[in-house]
Amino acid sequence: MVDVRREEVDVDSTRMSYLAAGEHGPVVLLLHGTFWSRVWQPVMARLGQVCRPVAMDLPGFGYSDGELSSPEGATVPALAEIVHSFAERLGVRQYAVVGHDIGGAIAQHLAAYREEVVTRLALVNGVVLDSWPVPAVERFQDPQVRAETTVEDLLRTRRTAMGRTTVRELSEAELDEYLDPWRDERRVRSWMSMAAAADSRYTTEVVDKLRARALPMLLVWGTDDEFQRLEYAERFVRQFPQAELVRVTGKHIPTEDSPQEIGDALAGFLTG
């Protein structure tokens, strides 16, 4: 049995928390978006059998210190630089990237602009093309909305959103675990900065560069996702002959609904 462990490392004077598993094989960076590394927990042990998965928490998310204090510091290019610095601090010279939600945009940016280090690209219900921002995120681009949103407000919003992210009903303990980081004002501000910076130009402007790279790509999609609908994944793979689409039972966080299928699909792709 592969153990999943939580570790930490200092990156530019910020303590970064991450989940890790496995000891051998290629390094895989698992990137979150408007959630945090908890979305990857159900597949970490399976991936750890064949590679070294690392699921980081961005500054101000999950259990990392720091804060995304402004939308300017939470754009996709800015977040991609944070991820790359994190990998360098771990001593990782090459890695595959797997992105969920806005983490998918970060993964695509890295794949397009870090050709020397990114070896493969996978998306699990990630944002693609012009699929984002969804209205619930876009509303936080209004500075007044951000100024008036309290910890309690965001907790209610995230609890409601969590009820729409899985086919199976999460237990109260699971919901509490997902929501726990947002009981901190710093993390609430970080979440709102990411939401305010959401912009589909970051996923439309990389299409030509990604096509030119002909990088191996895999999309794994929960077919009942109402935030990042299956049709966007189908549009994406039509633009990339090398991309494969695997459909699984699930909504926006399909790792909670189909962990075995997703773990197997990613494991095969990442070591193929």
Side-chain angles (χ1 to χ4, degrees):
M1 182 66 179
V2 175
D3 290 331
V4 178
R5 55 195 184 272
R6 183 162 289 279
E7 300 183 351
E8 58 186 51
V9 64
D10 284 341
V11 181
D12 297 330
S13 300
T14 298
R15 184 187 62 84
M16 303 280 282
S17 180
Y18 62 97
L19 294 174
E23 302 291 342
H24 307 286
V27 173
V28 181
L29 298 187
L30 303 167
L31 309 179
H32 69 79
T34 56
F35 295 86
W36 54 289
S37 62
R38 175 64 177 79
V39 299
W40 298 114
Q41 186 172 303
V43 299
M44 290 290 292
R46 173 67 182 95
L47 295 181
Q49 294 174 353
V50 297
C51 59
R52 289 181 288 161
V54 176
M56 65 178 293
D57 287 327
L58 289 164
F61 279 77
Y63 294 113
S64 284
D65 286 344
E67 180 181 337
L68 302 181
S69 57
S70 69
E72 292 74 23
T75 64
V76 166
L79 297 177
E81 285 305 304
I82 292 171
V83 172
H84 185 67
S85 295
F86 169 82
E88 286 190 322
R89 184 66 180 83
L90 292 183
V92 177
R93 297 182 180 274
Q94 286 193 316
Y95 49 83
V97 284
V98 184
H100 173 257
D101 191 81
I102 292 176
I106 302 169
Q108 290 168 69
H109 186 91
L110 286 165
Y113 294 103
R114 291 286 183 179
E115 299 181 37
E116 74 281 7
V117 294
V118 175
T119 58
R120 289 173 179 264
L121 168 65
L123 305 173
V124 179
N125 290 71
V127 300
V128 294
L129 306 175
D130 58 351
S131 72
W132 65 302
V134 299
V137 169
E138 189 174 25
R139 64 186 293 265
F140 287 93
Q141 294 181 355
D142 183 338
Q144 184 172 349
V145 171
R146 298 199 302 275
E148 293 175 352
T149 298
T150 66
V151 169
E152 291 73 22
D153 291 335
L154 192 67
L155 277 170
R156 282 194 297 270
T157 298
R158 301 310 286 159
R159 177 175 282 273
T160 299
M162 286 302 305
R164 300 162 62 190
T165 59
T166 59
V167 171
R168 73 178 182 88
E169 185 175 353
L170 298 176
S171 69
E172 279 300 312
E174 289 173 315
L175 279 173
D176 285 344
E177 185 178 3
Y178 266 104
L179 295 171
D180 182 59
W182 289 305
R183 292 181 169 87
D184 181 298
E185 289 186 1
R186 181 167 42 92
R187 291 181 171 84
V188 168
R189 291 192 298 268
S190 295
W191 188 94
M192 290 192 293
S193 291
M194 178 183 281
D199 190 332
S200 63
R201 69 187 170 95
Y202 297 120
T203 44
T204 55
E205 68 185 13
V206 297
V207 169
D208 289 342
K209 287 187 68 69
L210 288 176
R211 188 181 291 118
R213 278 208 67 185
L215 190 75
M217 296 182 186
L218 175 70
L219 279 69
V220 183
W221 227 259
T223 56
D224 295 320
D225 189 347
E226 59 187 275
F227 300 109
Q228 294 301 312
R229 299 190 303 275
L230 177 63
E231 66 189 71
Y232 286 107
E234 294 171 337
R235 278 178 52 200
F236 185 90
V237 297
R238 285 198 294 269
Q239 299 199 39
F240 296 94
Q242 77 274 28
E244 178 187 359
L245 173 61
V246 175
R247 299 169 177 82
V248 298
T249 297
K251 291 188 176 181
H252 189 56
I253 306 181
T255 50
E256 293 290 354
D257 293 312
S258 300
Q260 187 66 49
E261 293 87 343
I262 294 173
D264 288 347
L266 289 175
F269 171 72
L270 294 167
T271 58

